[in-house]
């Protein structure tokens, strides 16, 4: 059984395990107040060209999202997200559990549209509705999106400009950030993201770490007392240095974060070309390490015998869009075998 | 200036003020633990044909809605509501502030559709998504809806059957319940609502009381410790008998609740016929005491000089749907004057 | 049966009911955006010598308390209150339900002590504990306290100075404020309270209104978007002018608020002297309209046949402290009858 | 610098890192739905003699505590904890942030006393107070306590019996459970704890894991939909098998959990005897791996040059109680050096 289900189905870069073993017997202060985390944060700030940024490390993505909303919003304020956004659909109401509404906008191919943001904000701020509607204060986006699509630099600049004009924080969920940055069609980089967003995460879990999301705040307002909020929501790892250690490895000299991401993109390219050669249609234009082929319903049980994948959504009566995900750890022979088996369906 | 803005722009039935004055110097125990509330609850249970029901009185509608959601839902559970529902749009995120997501469905003309309810519930309960999505547990509907439309008996029975099959509570916001029950096209009554819903409110604020919503629980599970939750959320009136007193008056021998509602419906009929005679189109088929004419944008400033009304939504580039509301207190001469002035626009 | 149970067991000043009747048929805009509320707020600001203050009217005391905490605190921040404070004991965890801890300090006779406040704040702010403990940001006090005691001007000045030095908001729950201000031993007045506190309430429910608490903000930081928070927590009365109307009456030319309070204090004086003449000990030195006699347990059932009162706390094995409350509406003959009956126990 | 600050200042049992390396390239399904977690849960249930128990793995202790309270309590319900309890003092209001009050009782030496529990529950349930006070539903205890003390079997049985009589869940925070179980004076074991508590944690973070707390539910009511609540609060680890892997190692044939704990207890014994030999008084009778010597304030700076420890509390004007913690990883030579240096102070 080979899993193309998710990029978190793999362990960690072996180098991370080596460092873990080498430093295992060094005592460390708890809760991330250690040198390793400080060094990792410095590496990330350098990579982002943002020396003033503040970096915090947490274990998971839902955790990062709920913490940022908690820190950013006063009680009557809300987040805005695309209807397909992870916070809208697949976090069991984590944001609402912090007391805040997620205003879901249609968006396009997983992206939030500036004009839709402007319309709801202006409506909710009108004199007649101000008190009776939530007041949006933060826009949540993901890069890549849940459909594997990207924001172009121009799209992100337009959204960022709209947010700043309207007084909204722009927050990017980068659970798969590396895969987006290394995509062929991408024209964004970390310094641009740091400049255009108020906060964003650099996901480690799906890119070679055992676990970990780095939350980068370029807007200091958002970072106020963030560690207090982390602790309160159970998001402060006792042995915090484990997070620093992993990010130090990923963003150190060998740039494991990016070499791993490039490998996944290459594997996705092979798989995409194989699928297209078979004439199998795709739900979304392929961009990153997520590929959404549309298959006849009858083909799924046989495929499931040998491969893990996610059922994405129905595509008419007789077909289903499924999702394959490649990762830093995907082996070329697995991709080849999958293509061969797809040909036989 | 005459206000057709809302049915809460009026005081109270004079009879209520008389009783208030007559009983003002009687001492009463606090927090609704008094005889007056008990008598009022008995009258409501009788009117609903529901001797086993439990009745609680609160001051306002948003209060009632947030209390019922708080009582009904475990942390990971959610409400379902039409996208146009009051809890979805005009309660400043009151439900989300209790920690629960409101899953907004498109619906039709303000009504929730059983098939849309079924689809989201089955999706969220699927093995793949169960843990990662909110679990709907309650459906919120309003009667009449925010568009002044009604559920027919058949529609409510279908929705109720779907809810029961799926294990969802059905909760009806009856802020304007009387106006719905007295509408010409209505075929529902209180006993039917009591039988088909798990909980519902009988709104007083908009129907002749100074304030007050009666929350009726026909499903005892939902009513457990409701008074504790009322107190915790600041919804327990110290002089609770004021609520009982008003409901006793409204549902006593004179049936002020229904005579007032019928008057509003009659006035709405006069206004609707006047509007239609002028060839002014309506956004929604008229049913209750809310009427949504579509007027040229240029006509609004002049109208605003003499009348209060709500701007509802844009209707193309050059027109706007506005809302007129009649009430138990609307004077025939006001309606006539409005019709005359609309003719002059 | 005569109730000395609570000062909310009475109706309203007859003058309030008269005005209600006189203005009943005037249409008003909803949600407190009316002239009556504006005029009432102006009267209160004048009485407080605080022209820059912001005034909001809500229905109840628990509501006021939970709203102020919601508006004042970021997620990791907490309130401080005496262990006997209403928010600590008798609001069903209303503050905690907003997500915030109430740090309970022993205090003395119901009062918060500056030195206890300082100790916990300094401890929780120490480097070692900062992230792991709640950060107090608001002190809750009541005036009069739950024991009927008062803060002297010197005590309130000392507490206020400590709060300002430590960066804490000082919030006074004035559910019975009038009774405190009219007490013989009191040396505080509204302008002093407005100057020394960041926010406070002027309670109407217990002082002649049907219902109502005026929340006065002298610190504008606390008042930001307060109406949004009111709406979200179900605390915005649709017919908001009912609150304005009552406060206009209470703080108008006749100063019903203070004449009523002085009457209650006079009645309490008669009752206190009667109790003391019988040699019945008191739990607390009498100051306002609450009196806490300590009676043999065996005397309570007989007393309960004719009078309502609250059981306060055990006073040794064989005695119980109970509470009598007088009000603006207490009749002299009721006090005399109670004294006579106490003599017969 | 040698840290006796906390038992989380060490890495992991080397065996855990070996298994991590050996299995790193095996793909796994996400979110704990893997075989490794199932096997680990089976080992824990066997060790607890509780085949019907339900086991969930989370990353941290505050996380475990807030999840259990969230799952256990309806909105108006509260937890009870000793005033010294971790949830009362050092979790930044994590429980209150879930909306629930922690009723803090004095207790004794860190233990909750059945008679204090009974008193508050009976008071809050009395007719007069029921609606106005929080309703306790869960008792939080820690074993060992924050003072390193233990509950004897008799004490735990008495507390458990009181909880069951009163309808309260009993929940034990076992962040340091192993150290308690291996203490010389202990007479409890896992099966007894499983029988007497409704839920408890078996802490891994402080006992040789990189991270991890196993939440064991012996009362199935508490476990309902726990995974949904985990996900919602950001407590579901994407690579959940990492938790299973560590618990499998700790509770496998070599019983690393207990051998590590016994070592820490032995080291604590050596240190305690060393301290007592020097005539240094202790704040608490020593029982587990936490030792609380009382030192002259002037001695602390010198000690701090070579050792990490926590300042616990002032002990009079001139002395301070500090805390030393030993662990599974404490080296004998470190303890000897510390004793030598204490002798020189």
């Amino acid at each position: 059984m080979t899993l193309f289900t998710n990029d978190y189905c793999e362990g960690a870069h072996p180098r991370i395990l080596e460092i873990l073993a080498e430093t295992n017997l060094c005592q460390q202060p708890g809760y991330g107040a250690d040198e390793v985390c400080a060094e990792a944060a410095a590496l990330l700030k350098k990579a982002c060209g943002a020396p003033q940024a503040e970096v915090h490390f947490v274990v998971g993505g839902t955790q990062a999202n709920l913490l940022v909303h908690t820190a950013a919003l006063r009680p009557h304020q809300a987040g805005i997200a695309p209807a397909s956004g992870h916070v809208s659909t697949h976090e069991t109401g984590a944001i609402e559990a912090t007391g805040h509404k997620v205003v879901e906008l249609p968006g396009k191919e997983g992206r939030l549209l500036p004009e839709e943001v402007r319309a709801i904000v202006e409506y909710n701020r009108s004199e007649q509705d101000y008190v009776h509607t939530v007041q949006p204060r933060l826009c949540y986006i993901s890069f890549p999106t849940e459909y594997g699509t990207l924001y172009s630099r121009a799209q992100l600049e337009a959204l960022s400009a709209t947010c700043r004009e309207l007084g909204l924080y722009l927050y990017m969920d980068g659970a798969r950030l590396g895969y987006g940055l290394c995509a062929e069609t991408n024209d964004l980089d970390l310094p641009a993201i740091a400049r255009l967003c108020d906060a964003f995460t650099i996901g480690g879990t799906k890119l070679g770490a055992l676990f970990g999301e780095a939350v980068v705040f370029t807007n200091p307002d958002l970072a106020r007392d963030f560690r207090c909020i982390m602790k309160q929501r159970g998001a402060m790892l006792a042995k915090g240095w484990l997070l620093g250690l992993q990010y130090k490895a990923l963003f150190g000299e060998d740039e494991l974060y990016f070499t791993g991401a490039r490998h996944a993109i290459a594997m996705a390219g092979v798989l995409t070309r194989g699928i297209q050669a078979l004439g199998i249609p795709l739900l979304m234009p392929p961009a990153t390490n997520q590929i959404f082929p549309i298959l006849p319903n009858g083909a799924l049980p046989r495929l499931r015998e040998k491969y893990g994948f996610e059922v994405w959504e129905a595509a008419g009566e007789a077909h289903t869009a499924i999702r394959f995900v490649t990762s830093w750890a995907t082996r070329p022979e697995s991709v080849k075998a999958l293509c061969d088996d797809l040909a036989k369906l």
Side-chain angles (χ1 to χ4, degrees), chain A:
Chain A
M1 175 71 78
T2 307
L3 304 184
F4 289 93
T5 318
N6 216 309
D7 24 24
Y8 54 61
C9 297
E10 318 283 349
H13 272 299
R15 181 70 196 119
I16 283 177
L17 298 191
E18 287 168 30
I19 300 172
L20 210 52
E22 287 161 20
T23 60
N24 187 41
L25 294 181
C26 307
Q27 289 188 314
Q28 294 282 4
Y31 301 120
D34 58 83
E35 280 307 302
V36 190
C37 284
E39 290 166 27
L43 284 172
L44 290 183
K45 289 191 272 187
K46 196 176 158 203
C48 294
Q52 318 298 339
E54 196 169 305
V55 178
H56 296 280
F57 299 104
V58 300
V59 166
T62 297
Q63 217 171 54
N65 292 339
L66 75 85
L67 289 169
V68 169
H69 282 76
T70 301
L73 303 178
R74 296 192 65 225
H76 61 298
Q77 294 175 338
I80 288 178
S84 59
H86 207 252
V87 293
S88 307
T89 61
H90 274 83
E91 300 191 350
T92 321
I95 307 305
E96 290 84 357
T98 71
H100 301 287
K101 187 181 182 78
V102 176
V103 177
E104 300 178 12
L105 299 181
K108 190 172 169 211
E109 295 184 349
R111 293 182 207 94
L112 203 57
L113 301 176
E115 58 270 26
E116 290 180 356
V117 170
R118 178 183 301 278
I120 185 74
V121 169
E122 289 182 350
Y123 178 84
N124 283 14
R125 286 189 187 165
S126 68
E127 194 187 348
Q128 178 175 319
D129 293 289
Y130 183 71
V131 167
H132 303 281
T133 60
V134 289
Q135 292 304 312
R137 179 72 166 111
L138 175 149
C139 283
Y140 167 95
I141 59 174
S142 40
F143 180 87
T145 71
E146 290 70 15
Y147 285 109
T149 57
L150 300 173
Y151 287 80
S152 69
R153 184 179 288 252
Q155 286 170 333
L156 192 63
E157 282 184 340
L159 184 60
S160 176
T162 299
C163 286
R164 283 179 186 168
E165 181 195 334
L166 295 171
L168 304 176
Y169 296 123
L170 181 56
Y171 165 59
M172 177 186 281
D173 177 341
R176 293 191 170 101
L177 188 64
Y179 298 129
L181 292 176
C182 294
E184 278 176 37
T185 56
N186 173 54
D187 63 353
L188 278 166
D189 54 22
L190 279 174
I193 289 170
R195 181 173 54 80
L196 296 171
C197 296
D198 297 281
F200 60 101
T201 61
I202 301 177
T205 304
K206 292 172 175 166
L207 279 126
L210 289 169
F211 55 85
E213 307 288 311
V215 187
V216 183
F217 292 106
T218 49
N219 183 331
D221 289 353
L222 266 166
R224 266 192 312 148
D225 291 329
F226 193 71
R227 278 171 58 78
C228 297
I229 294 172
M230 283 171 58
K231 172 75 186 188
Q232 186 185 62
R233 306 299 158 128
M236 185 168 276
L237 191 63
K239 303 185 184 178
W241 72 86
L242 296 174
L243 288 159
L245 178 156
Q246 296 182 80
Y247 273 89
K248 236 180 100 178
L250 291 172
F251 282 82
E253 279 188 19
D254 297 340
E255 297 201 319
L256 295 177
Y257 193 76
F258 295 105
T259 55
R262 276 191 290 267
H263 172 77
I265 294 297
M267 291 296 99
V270 173
L271 180 53
T272 300
R273 287 188 294 275
I275 287 168
Q276 289 177 324
L278 294 168
I280 297 172
L282 296 173
L283 178 69
M284 285 280 150
T288 61
N289 67 325
Q290 302 183 63
I291 305 149
F292 298 86
I294 296 175
L295 294 175
N297 295 345
L300 303 193
R302 259 178 305 155
L303 198 59
R304 214 173 261 130
E305 288 167 19
K306 294 178 65 178
Y307 301 97
F309 55 87
E310 277 207 7
V311 170
W312 202 252
E313 59 187 49
E317 289 293 301
H319 289 75
T320 299
I322 66 169
R323 187 185 70 169
F324 294 128
V325 185
T326 63
S327 82
W328 60 275
T330 301
R331 283 173 300 173
E333 55 269 33
S334 301
V335 175
K336 181 164 188 321
L338 174 56
C339 289
D340 292 349
D341 284 321
L342 285 171
K344 291 179 207 152
L345 286 179

